[in-house]
Amino acid sequence: MSQEVTYASSPAGEGPAAQAAAAVQEPAEAAVAKAERRRRKPADRRKTLEILFFVSPALVLIAVFMLLPIVQAVRFSVYNWKGFGPLVDFVGLKNYARVLQNEVFTDAMIHNLIIIGGSIALQLPIGLGIALLLNRKMKIQSLLRTIIFVPYVLSEVIAGVIWFQLLQPQYGVIDTILSKLGIQGPAQGWLGTPELALWTVLVVLTWKYLGLAVILFLAGLQGVPSELYEAAEIDGASWWQIQRKITIPLLGPTLRTWGFLSMIGSLQLFDMVWILTGGGPANSTTTMASFLVSEGTKRQNFGVAAAASVVLFIVALILAVSYQQFVLKRDSQPDDERTKAKKVKA
């Protein structure tokens, strides 16, 4: 009776012999899989060692020149330290309070935000317009691209010294040209007038970094299929409609990437400001970077300078993560996910 029950519960077409064969086959398959895993282990271990070998130099550089300075800055920021001697005067978060309550630093944060907005507002339309112009076939196309890109190749020190001489009051080239046109420049100079200094620096920055925007936009335009332009022209679309419906949407990832680079560069701005104005006049062009350098080198308040550097790092990290989350995230999503998101919003 028990034997019949066993047969009835077994799968159709399988008897005791088939069950015995399956019972023998399962351990054999497990043994083969185990042997296969053993053979893969040396290969996987070798692959991991190869990856570590080639990546370790970059990891060492990141640890020495990025992680260690961050840790040291956080450490110095909780001490009242003048740059020499041991760290003995522990003050906790007082340096951070001094930084955040310092009107010069809060104004410097506003200046950085103005430079971010101004750089994007000026360089985006001008750079895009020049890129669209240079994307057309012309005889002097290579020459024009070189001329546009040369300012970006120049070091910030050289560019700053050149513009410092050009903007000298009365005897500088800019004021001389304006006087010939019947226009009188500011008495204290473009860099010496508090109301004009920051905007003058912004113009110099636009001249300096416009070449990067143009080159990036040109690279993005090379990826736009020419067939789309031809089809749009056949349908009777105007030049502006073609740019608005085809060029700018397909150039979106390049524009967003450039915006990220411009934002981070504006937050870290130091050298050009330091050469042109030194943060003056009356702290009207001070940035967060120039503030912390001034606190450390001129006033010997290395603890306050370290706290300012940590605040700058946190601000840059928050803006970078936010930009990545809300702006750049759409470029990393697959097309089907973007379509679903649009349908959900609709």
Side-chain angles (χ1 to χ4, degrees):
M1 188 68 176
S2 60
Q3 207 172 26
E4 293 177 1
V5 173
T6 304
Y7 290 160
S9 62
S10 62
E14 291 187 6
Q19 290 183 356
V24 173
Q25 187 178 3
E26 288 179 1
E29 292 178 353
V32 172
K34 189 174 182 180
E36 184 67 22
R37 286 195 297 269
R38 288 179 179 176
R39 283 196 298 269
R40 289 180 181 175
K41 280 184 179 180
D44 293 341
R45 191 180 298 111
R46 184 172 63 252
K47 192 174 183 180
T48 303
L49 291 176
E50 289 176 355
I51 293 173
L52 289 176
F53 176 77
F54 289 108
V55 173
S56 56
L59 295 178
V60 171
L61 292 175
I62 291 174
V64 173
F65 294 103
M66 184 179 295
L67 298 180
L68 183 60
I70 291 174
V71 173
Q72 287 292 82
V74 174
R75 181 186 173 210
F76 294 153
S77 67
V78 294
Y79 286 90
N80 185 16
W81 190 50
K82 297 298 182 181
F84 54 88
L87 300 173
V88 293
D89 190 5
F90 181 81
V91 296
L93 300 178
K94 289 184 179 179
N95 285 333
Y96 291 94
R98 291 175 61 184
V99 168
L100 296 176
Q101 294 173 0
N102 193 316
E103 186 177 353
V104 176
F105 184 79
T106 55
D107 289 343
M109 294 179 67
I110 296 174
H111 296 159
N112 278 109
L113 294 177
I114 291 174
I115 291 172
I116 291 174
S119 297
I120 294 176
L122 288 176
Q123 295 180 36
L124 178 58
I126 297 175
L128 185 57
I130 294 175
L132 291 174
L133 178 64
L134 295 180
N135 196 43
R136 296 184 174 186
K137 292 182 180 180
M138 57 182 70
K139 293 182 180 180
I140 58 173
Q141 186 181 54
S142 299
L143 178 61
L144 291 176
R145 290 184 180 184
T146 303
I147 293 174
I148 293 296
F149 194 65
V150 162
Y152 179 72
V153 177
L154 292 176
S155 69
E156 280 74 6
V157 175
I158 295 175
V161 172
I162 291 173
W163 277 97
F164 182 80
Q165 297 298 328
L166 292 175
L167 293 169
Q168 285 295 308
Q170 297 181 1
Y171 304 106
V173 175
I174 302 297
D175 276 8
T176 301
I177 294 175
L178 291 177
S179 63
K180 296 294 184 181
L181 298 174
I183 302 174
Q184 186 66 33
Q188 297 178 343
W190 299 95
L191 297 173
T193 305
E195 294 79 11
L196 298 175
L198 183 62
W199 305 107
T200 303
V201 171
L202 184 59
V203 171
V204 176
L205 292 173
T206 301
W207 170 85
K208 177 70 173 64
Y209 295 105
L210 183 63
L212 176 62
V214 173
I215 292 298
L216 288 177
F217 297 164
L218 280 173
L221 288 173
Q222 303 305 313
V224 180
S226 59
E227 293 82 2
L228 296 178
Y229 292 134
E230 295 173 0
E233 290 176 357
I234 293 174
D235 290 339
S238 64
W239 181 88
W240 171 244
Q241 289 175 332
I242 293 174
Q243 308 311 317
R244 186 165 59 92
K245 296 293 186 178
I246 297 177
T247 304
I248 295 178
L250 293 179
L251 202 60
T254 303
L255 297 176
R256 289 186 284 271
T257 301
W258 167 81
F260 179 79
L261 296 176
S262 180
M263 179 186 69
I264 297 300
S266 298
L267 283 174
Q268 299 173 347
L269 181 63
F270 164 72
D271 35 22
M272 189 68 75
V273 169
W274 195 258
I275 294 168
L276 289 174
T277 63
N283 296 315
S284 60
T285 60
T286 302
T287 62
M288 288 186 282
S290 65
F291 171 84
L292 68 90
V293 171
S294 179
E295 284 290 322
T297 58
K298 292 184 178 181
R299 299 180 177 83
Q300 303 298 316
N301 293 329
F302 284 91
V304 175
S309 68
V310 174
V311 174
L312 172 58
F313 172 77
I314 293 174
V315 171
L317 181 63
I318 292 174
L319 289 179
V321 172
S322 301
Y323 194 94
Q324 174 69 31
Q325 182 68 25
F326 298 106
V327 181
L328 292 180
K329 186 178 180 180
R330 59 181 300 179
D331 297 329
S332 60
Q333 289 180 343
D335 294 337
D336 55 346
E337 291 187 8
R338 293 186 199 173
T339 305
K340 291 179 181 178
K342 289 181 179 178
K343 290 181 178 179
V344 170
K345 291 182 179 179

